[in-house]
Amino acid sequence: MRRISGISVECVRGDITKQPDIDAVVNAANRWLAPGGGVAGAIHRAAGRKLYEFCRRLAPIKPGQAVITPAGELKNKFVVHCLGPVYGKDVPSDKILADCYRNSLKVADEKGAQSIAFPAISTGVFGYPVKEAAEVSVDAVVEAVEGGFLKNLKKIRFVLFSKNDFEIFSEVLDNAG
Ligand code: ADP
């Protein structure tokens, strides 16, 4: 756990759909904001049909973009849906991945969320190597926190599904800034 400019940034190993203490959870969405595999499948399964009703009106989105909806049956207030870059295809992938984090923080903060949890965006079917993704993701979050534009967010959590990803993100966070 790090404390940067009064905001706590932490890594936990777990499931993004099981973060009941967090106001906004981030979905590694697809362009159509539809249920699918990975994080999107898990979030839509847990949130129920209503979530897709909210989403349909907002799709399609572009790589790097983030939109926010209510959280349906999840125990959170909001779901932020962002579209990560397909590694090496949506380029520059590092800039687009950083945009995902910046834009997600922005829309959640604007809605008054005090806490947000991110999965490791783009590291699943979109093929982003985890170490590189961790560096870009942690840097983007630390820069946003240091930028001082977040008015409501007090806690930012990375939720990593596997032990390996958890260890990599934790090490990058420990050495950041
Ligand atoms: P993308 O299409 O952006 O690559 P994926 O959903 O395929 O997104 O995967 C992103 C990352 O999230 C992967 O590292 C995957 O292991 C992880 N992941 C999958 N399901 C969950 C979950 N329920 N909670 C947290 N992380 C998850």
Side-chain angles (χ1 to χ4, degrees):
M1 204 270 268
R2 298 278 303 270
R3 238 188 141 68
I4 306 164
S5 309
I7 298 181
S8 86
V9 185
E10 65 184 17
C11 295
V12 304
R13 187 175 172 201
D15 183 328
I16 194 75
T17 67
K18 297 193 174 110
Q19 306 297 322
D21 60 324
I22 294 285
D23 285 347
V25 291
V26 178
N27 179 14
N30 48 64
R31 178 174 149 78
W32 297 102
L33 305 181
V39 170
I43 285 188
H44 279 274
R45 262 195 309 280
R49 245 208 94 69
K50 253 199 188 156
L51 183 64
Y52 188 45
E53 298 298 321
F54 295 126
C55 283
R56 275 184 6 184
R57 301 172 219 147
L58 302 171
I61 62 167
K62 297 195 192 89
Q65 198 183 341
V67 295
I68 189 163
T69 67
E73 287 162 35
L74 281 166
K75 291 201 168 30
N76 314 97
K77 292 185 184 153
F78 308 105
V79 176
V80 175
H81 308 263
C82 77
L83 178 58
V86 176
Y87 185 68
K89 179 166 170 283
D90 297 315
V91 288
S93 297
D94 55 350
K95 184 186 171 295
I96 297 170
L97 185 59
D99 282 345
C100 284
Y101 286 90
R102 274 194 287 271
N103 290 329
S104 296
L105 290 168
K106 188 164 174 282
V107 294
D109 193 67
E110 282 170 359
K111 284 279 186 189
Q114 295 184 8
S115 51
I116 186 167
F118 287 96
I121 297 164
S122 284
T123 65
V125 292
F126 284 1
Y128 217 117
V130 175
K131 179 79 193 287
E132 280 178 50
E135 280 163 358
V136 173
S137 306
V138 167
D139 274 359
V141 165
V142 170
E143 266 177 37
V145 168
E146 287 176 340
F149 69 84
L150 301 172
K151 302 285 172 254
N152 296 301
L153 285 167
K154 294 284 171 279
K155 183 193 278 281
I156 300 171
R157 177 180 292 165
F158 291 100
V159 179
L160 294 316
F161 212 38
S162 73
K163 181 164 180 277
N164 182 58
D165 294 357
F166 169 71
E167 283 169 358
I168 291 172
F169 267 73
S170 301
E171 193 192 332
V172 170
L173 178 61
D174 283 346
N175 296 317

